[in-house]
C-alpha cells in the first residue's frame, strides 16, 4: 500500500467520530426547537412560573417624572415587577394583559412596577401613552433591576407578596391564565 493511501485511510478513520457527534447535535437542536414551539409548557409563549421564597431585592429607581421609588415603598401590596424594553416583541405583546389585570385588581392592593431596561425617557413615555399604561414605570438605564434579580432575559417577571417576599418568577410573556393562577390567590392571602 502506498504512503498516500495509508494517510487517506487514517484521515478517514479519524474523521468518522465527527459524523455521529454531528448527528447527535442535530437531534439535540431539533429537540430544543420542538420544545420552544408556541403553546408548549415552558416556551416563550407559555412560560412556567417558578416558585421562589426569598426577600425582594433592595431596589430604588427613578420614575418617568423624576421621583425615586423603592420596592419597599410598596410593602403591603402584591407587586408584579416586570422587566421589559420598548423594542422587545414579547414585552409589547404582554402589556395589554398587564394593563387589564392591573386595572381590574389595583383596588385590591395590586400593582405592576414596569421597569424599562435602558430606553430613553421620551421613548418610554410614548410607549406608555400608546398602551394607556396606568401603573408605575421605572427607568433603569444601568440595568440595576436585571442585576438585582439576576436575570438579563426580557421580559421577566417577579411576584412579590405583601410581606416583601418574592413568591414567583418567570421568563417570557405573561398571560392572563398565569396571572389568575399565581397572583389572584395572593390578593386575598394575609401575609402577616
Amino acid at each position: 500500500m502506498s504512503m498516500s493511501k495509508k494517510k487517506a485511510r487514517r484521515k478517514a478513520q479519524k474523521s468518522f467520530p465527527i459524523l455521529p457527534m454531528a448527528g447527535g447535535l442535530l437531534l439535540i437542536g431539533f429537540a430544543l426547537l420542538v420544545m420552544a414551539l408556541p403553546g408548549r409548557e415552558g416556551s416563550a409563549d407559555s412560560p412556567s412560573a417558578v416558585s421562589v421564597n426569598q426577600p425582594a431585592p433592595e431596589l430604588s429607581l427613578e420614575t418617568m417624572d423624576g421621583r425615586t421609588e423603592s420596592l419597599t415603598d410598596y410593602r403591603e401590596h402584591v407587586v408584579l415587577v416586570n422587566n421589559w424594553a420598548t423594542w422587545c416583541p414579547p414585552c409589547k405583546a404582554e402589556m395589554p394583559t398587564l394593563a387589564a389585570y392591573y386595572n381590574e385588581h389595583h383596588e385590591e392592593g395590586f400593582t405592576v412596577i414596569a421597569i424599562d431596561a435602558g430606553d430613553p425617557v421620551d421613548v418610554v413615555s410614548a410607549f406608555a401613552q400608546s398602551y394607556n399604561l396606568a401603573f408605575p414605570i421605572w427607568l433603569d438605564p444601568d440595568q440595576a433591576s436585571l442585576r438585582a434579580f439576576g436575570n438579563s432575559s426580557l421580559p421577566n417577571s417577579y411576584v412579590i407578596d405583601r410581606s416583601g417576599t418574592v413568591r414567583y418568577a418567570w421568563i417570557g410573556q405573561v398571560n392572563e391564565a398565569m396571572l389568575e393562577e399565581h397572583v389572584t390567590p395572593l390578593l386575598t392571602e394575609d401575609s402577616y
Side-chain angles (χ1 to χ4, degrees):
M1 191 180 270
S2 73
M3 192 66 135
S4 62
K5 285 184 181 180
K6 286 182 183 179
K7 284 183 181 180
R9 179 185 266 168
R10 282 189 205 136
K11 190 174 183 179
Q13 288 173 344
K14 287 181 182 177
S15 65
F16 180 73
I18 292 174
L19 292 175
M21 230 175 8
L25 289 174
L26 276 172
L27 286 174
I28 291 170
F30 180 74
L32 291 172
L33 177 65
V34 168
M35 288 172 43
L37 289 174
R40 296 206 36 108
E41 193 68 30
S43 75
D45 291 336
S46 179
S48 297
V50 175
S51 252
V52 180
N53 190 20
Q54 64 187 37
E58 295 292 322
L59 185 63
S60 297
L61 292 168
E62 227 176 78
T63 63
M64 287 195 307
D65 61 3
R67 292 178 297 111
T68 299
E69 289 187 349
S70 170
L71 286 179
T72 57
D73 297 338
Y74 289 89
R75 281 282 162 85
E76 300 183 20
H77 287 83
V78 174
V79 176
L80 186 144
V81 172
N82 178 254
N83 290 297
W84 63 286
T86 61
W87 49 263
C88 164
C91 301
K92 292 176 184 179
E94 74 183 353
M95 281 302 164
T97 301
L98 291 173
Y101 192 85
Y102 170 80
N103 292 338
E104 184 178 337
H105 295 284
H106 75 275
E107 303 248 345
E108 299 168 60
F110 171 74
T111 196
V112 172
I113 298 176
I115 303 177
D116 176 77
D119 293 313
V121 67
D122 59 328
V123 173
V124 176
S125 181
F127 183 94
Q129 288 175 356
S130 71
Y131 283 85
N132 296 315
L133 302 180
F135 45 74
I137 298 174
W138 294 0
L139 303 172
D140 193 5
D142 300 320
Q143 300 181 347
S145 180
L146 298 178
R147 286 192 308 279
F149 284 101
N151 186 350
S152 62
S153 297
L154 294 178
N156 64 62
S157 298
Y158 299 87
V159 180
I160 303 170
D161 68 17
R162 297 179 196 277
S163 71
T165 301
V166 179
R167 299 281 292 272
Y168 299 104
W170 56 78
I171 298 171
Q173 182 178 328
V174 172
N175 62 48
E176 184 179 353
M178 295 166 59
L179 295 171
E180 290 296 339
E181 179 181 351
H182 300 292
V183 178
T184 302
L186 295 178
L187 296 175
T188 58
E189 185 179 272
D190 185 13
S191 296
Y192 297 104

PDB file of all heavy atoms in Angstrom, residues 5 24 28 35 37 58-59 65 118 125 131 133 147 158 163 172 188:
ATOM      1  N   LYS A   5      -2.091   6.398   0.249  1.00  0.00           N
ATOM      2  CA  LYS A   5      -3.312   5.652   0.560  1.00  0.00           C
ATOM      3  C   LYS A   5      -3.438   5.431   2.067  1.00  0.00           C
ATOM      4  O   LYS A   5      -4.517   5.474   2.624  1.00  0.00           O
ATOM      5  CB  LYS A   5      -3.316   4.311  -0.178  1.00  0.00           C
ATOM      6  CG  LYS A   5      -3.616   4.442  -1.645  1.00  0.00           C
ATOM      7  CD  LYS A   5      -3.702   3.083  -2.278  1.00  0.00           C
ATOM      8  CE  LYS A   5      -3.979   3.227  -3.764  1.00  0.00           C
ATOM      9  NZ  LYS A   5      -4.061   1.929  -4.418  1.00  0.00           N
ATOM     10  N   GLY A  24     -25.783  13.666  16.538  1.00  0.00           N
ATOM     11  CA  GLY A  24     -26.318  13.863  17.891  1.00  0.00           C
ATOM     12  C   GLY A  24     -26.639  15.317  18.172  1.00  0.00           C
ATOM     13  O   GLY A  24     -27.684  15.632  18.753  1.00  0.00           O
ATOM     14  N   ILE A  28     -30.277  16.998  19.137  1.00  0.00           N
ATOM     15  CA  ILE A  28     -30.466  17.867  20.301  1.00  0.00           C
ATOM     16  C   ILE A  28     -31.046  19.204  19.870  1.00  0.00           C
ATOM     17  O   ILE A  28     -31.981  19.717  20.483  1.00  0.00           O
ATOM     18  CB  ILE A  28     -29.134  18.058  21.067  1.00  0.00           C
ATOM     19  CG1 ILE A  28     -28.724  16.744  21.739  1.00  0.00           C
ATOM     20  CG2 ILE A  28     -29.247  19.178  22.096  1.00  0.00           C
ATOM     21  CD1 ILE A  28     -27.324  16.745  22.304  1.00  0.00           C
ATOM     22  N   MET A  35     -39.311  21.859  21.575  1.00  0.00           N
ATOM     23  CA  MET A  35     -39.709  22.298  22.912  1.00  0.00           C
ATOM     24  C   MET A  35     -40.051  23.776  22.933  1.00  0.00           C
ATOM     25  O   MET A  35     -40.850  24.221  23.753  1.00  0.00           O
ATOM     26  CB  MET A  35     -38.599  22.006  23.927  1.00  0.00           C
ATOM     27  CG  MET A  35     -38.461  20.540  24.228  1.00  0.00           C
ATOM     28  SD  MET A  35     -37.022  20.110  25.230  1.00  0.00           S
ATOM     29  CE  MET A  35     -36.982  21.351  26.464  1.00  0.00           C
ATOM     30  N   LEU A  37     -41.584  25.453  20.569  1.00  0.00           N
ATOM     31  CA  LEU A  37     -42.742  25.796  19.741  1.00  0.00           C
ATOM     32  C   LEU A  37     -43.846  26.415  20.595  1.00  0.00           C
ATOM     33  O   LEU A  37     -44.030  26.035  21.749  1.00  0.00           O
ATOM     34  CB  LEU A  37     -43.279  24.549  19.028  1.00  0.00           C
ATOM     35  CG  LEU A  37     -42.392  24.015  17.915  1.00  0.00           C
ATOM     36  CD1 LEU A  37     -42.963  22.692  17.378  1.00  0.00           C
ATOM     37  CD2 LEU A  37     -42.259  25.019  16.793  1.00  0.00           C
ATOM     38  N   GLU A  58     -33.271  44.856  47.428  1.00  0.00           N
ATOM     39  CA  GLU A  58     -33.323  46.295  47.669  1.00  0.00           C
ATOM     40  C   GLU A  58     -33.165  46.953  46.305  1.00  0.00           C
ATOM     41  O   GLU A  58     -32.154  46.742  45.642  1.00  0.00           O
ATOM     42  CB  GLU A  58     -32.193  46.729  48.607  1.00  0.00           C
ATOM     43  CG  GLU A  58     -32.302  46.158  50.004  1.00  0.00           C
ATOM     44  CD  GLU A  58     -33.483  46.726  50.777  1.00  0.00           C
ATOM     45  OE1 GLU A  58     -33.773  47.935  50.628  1.00  0.00           O
ATOM     46  OE2 GLU A  58     -34.107  45.956  51.522  1.00  0.00           O
ATOM     47  N   LEU A  59     -34.159  47.706  45.878  1.00  0.00           N
ATOM     48  CA  LEU A  59     -34.099  48.313  44.555  1.00  0.00           C
ATOM     49  C   LEU A  59     -34.831  49.640  44.578  1.00  0.00           C
ATOM     50  O   LEU A  59     -35.997  49.704  44.977  1.00  0.00           O
ATOM     51  CB  LEU A  59     -34.738  47.376  43.521  1.00  0.00           C
ATOM     52  CG  LEU A  59     -34.663  47.811  42.064  1.00  0.00           C
ATOM     53  CD1 LEU A  59     -33.220  47.891  41.582  1.00  0.00           C
ATOM     54  CD2 LEU A  59     -35.459  46.844  41.187  1.00  0.00           C
ATOM     55  N   ASP A  65     -41.376  60.639  35.904  1.00  0.00           N
ATOM     56  CA  ASP A  65     -41.475  62.056  36.274  1.00  0.00           C
ATOM     57  C   ASP A  65     -40.345  62.513  37.201  1.00  0.00           C
ATOM     58  O   ASP A  65     -40.409  63.586  37.798  1.00  0.00           O
ATOM     59  CB  ASP A  65     -42.848  62.379  36.861  1.00  0.00           C
ATOM     60  CG  ASP A  65     -43.155  61.606  38.130  1.00  0.00           C
ATOM     61  OD1 ASP A  65     -42.283  60.848  38.614  1.00  0.00           O
ATOM     62  OD2 ASP A  65     -44.282  61.741  38.639  1.00  0.00           O
ATOM     63  N   GLY A 118     -33.459  50.431  29.953  1.00  0.00           N
ATOM     64  CA  GLY A 118     -32.488  51.285  29.296  1.00  0.00           C
ATOM     65  C   GLY A 118     -32.938  52.162  28.157  1.00  0.00           C
ATOM     66  O   GLY A 118     -32.114  52.841  27.553  1.00  0.00           O
ATOM     67  N   SER A 125     -42.046  57.037  27.542  1.00  0.00           N
ATOM     68  CA  SER A 125     -43.262  57.823  27.730  1.00  0.00           C
ATOM     69  C   SER A 125     -44.229  57.626  26.561  1.00  0.00           C
ATOM     70  O   SER A 125     -45.427  57.425  26.764  1.00  0.00           O
ATOM     71  CB  SER A 125     -42.905  59.300  27.887  1.00  0.00           C
ATOM     72  OG  SER A 125     -44.061  60.062  28.082  1.00  0.00           O
ATOM     73  N   TYR A 131     -50.013  52.544  24.980  1.00  0.00           N
ATOM     74  CA  TYR A 131     -50.636  51.366  25.588  1.00  0.00           C
ATOM     75  C   TYR A 131     -51.557  51.738  26.757  1.00  0.00           C
ATOM     76  O   TYR A 131     -52.087  50.857  27.424  1.00  0.00           O
ATOM     77  CB  TYR A 131     -49.564  50.378  26.061  1.00  0.00           C
ATOM     78  CG  TYR A 131     -48.946  49.585  24.934  1.00  0.00           C
ATOM     79  CD1 TYR A 131     -47.879  50.088  24.202  1.00  0.00           C
ATOM     80  CD2 TYR A 131     -49.434  48.321  24.603  1.00  0.00           C
ATOM     81  CE1 TYR A 131     -47.312  49.364  23.171  1.00  0.00           C
ATOM     82  CE2 TYR A 131     -48.872  47.588  23.574  1.00  0.00           C
ATOM     83  CZ  TYR A 131     -47.810  48.115  22.854  1.00  0.00           C
ATOM     84  OH  TYR A 131     -47.240  47.386  21.830  1.00  0.00           O
ATOM     85  N   LEU A 133     -50.902  52.857  29.780  1.00  0.00           N
ATOM     86  CA  LEU A 133     -50.424  52.213  30.998  1.00  0.00           C
ATOM     87  C   LEU A 133     -50.622  53.151  32.187  1.00  0.00           C
ATOM     88  O   LEU A 133     -50.125  54.273  32.184  1.00  0.00           O
ATOM     89  CB  LEU A 133     -48.948  51.827  30.849  1.00  0.00           C
ATOM     90  CG  LEU A 133     -48.626  50.900  29.674  1.00  0.00           C
ATOM     91  CD1 LEU A 133     -47.126  50.599  29.627  1.00  0.00           C
ATOM     92  CD2 LEU A 133     -49.442  49.608  29.736  1.00  0.00           C
ATOM     93  N   ARG A 147     -29.739  43.096  37.210  1.00  0.00           N
ATOM     94  CA  ARG A 147     -28.684  42.572  38.084  1.00  0.00           C
ATOM     95  C   ARG A 147     -29.258  42.158  39.443  1.00  0.00           C
ATOM     96  O   ARG A 147     -28.888  41.118  39.985  1.00  0.00           O
ATOM     97  CB  ARG A 147     -27.573  43.601  38.267  1.00  0.00           C
ATOM     98  CG  ARG A 147     -26.681  43.756  37.059  1.00  0.00           C
ATOM     99  CD  ARG A 147     -25.414  44.575  37.363  1.00  0.00           C
ATOM    100  NE  ARG A 147     -25.676  45.863  37.988  1.00  0.00           N
ATOM    101  CZ  ARG A 147     -26.042  46.966  37.329  1.00  0.00           C
ATOM    102  NH1 ARG A 147     -26.199  46.937  36.023  1.00  0.00           N
ATOM    103  NH2 ARG A 147     -26.236  48.097  37.976  1.00  0.00           N
ATOM    104  N   TYR A 158     -41.554  39.038  38.326  1.00  0.00           N
ATOM    105  CA  TYR A 158     -41.433  38.532  39.686  1.00  0.00           C
ATOM    106  C   TYR A 158     -42.646  38.982  40.474  1.00  0.00           C
ATOM    107  O   TYR A 158     -42.999  40.164  40.446  1.00  0.00           O
ATOM    108  CB  TYR A 158     -40.146  39.067  40.347  1.00  0.00           C
ATOM    109  CG  TYR A 158     -38.931  38.611  39.583  1.00  0.00           C
ATOM    110  CD1 TYR A 158     -38.461  39.347  38.503  1.00  0.00           C
ATOM    111  CD2 TYR A 158     -38.324  37.414  39.896  1.00  0.00           C
ATOM    112  CE1 TYR A 158     -37.388  38.898  37.750  1.00  0.00           C
ATOM    113  CE2 TYR A 158     -37.246  36.964  39.156  1.00  0.00           C
ATOM    114  CZ  TYR A 158     -36.791  37.704  38.081  1.00  0.00           C
ATOM    115  OH  TYR A 158     -35.738  37.245  37.332  1.00  0.00           O
ATOM    116  N   SER A 163     -45.671  40.851  52.194  1.00  0.00           N
ATOM    117  CA  SER A 163     -44.610  40.909  53.209  1.00  0.00           C
ATOM    118  C   SER A 163     -43.243  41.214  52.590  1.00  0.00           C
ATOM    119  O   SER A 163     -42.256  41.313  53.308  1.00  0.00           O
ATOM    120  CB  SER A 163     -44.544  39.584  53.979  1.00  0.00           C
ATOM    121  OG  SER A 163     -44.033  38.555  53.156  1.00  0.00           O
ATOM    122  N   GLY A 172     -40.380  35.339  30.032  1.00  0.00           N
ATOM    123  CA  GLY A 172     -41.263  35.249  28.875  1.00  0.00           C
ATOM    124  C   GLY A 172     -42.532  36.037  29.085  1.00  0.00           C
ATOM    125  O   GLY A 172     -42.749  36.670  30.115  1.00  0.00           O
ATOM    126  N   THR A 188     -55.882  37.777  48.221  1.00  0.00           N
ATOM    127  CA  THR A 188     -56.729  37.504  49.388  1.00  0.00           C
ATOM    128  C   THR A 188     -55.935  36.884  50.543  1.00  0.00           C
ATOM    129  O   THR A 188     -56.472  36.682  51.619  1.00  0.00           O
ATOM    130  CB  THR A 188     -57.895  36.570  49.017  1.00  0.00           C
ATOM    131  OG1 THR A 188     -57.360  35.363  48.485  1.00  0.00           O
ATOM    132  CG2 THR A 188     -58.806  37.230  48.003  1.00  0.00           C
TER     133      THR A 188
END
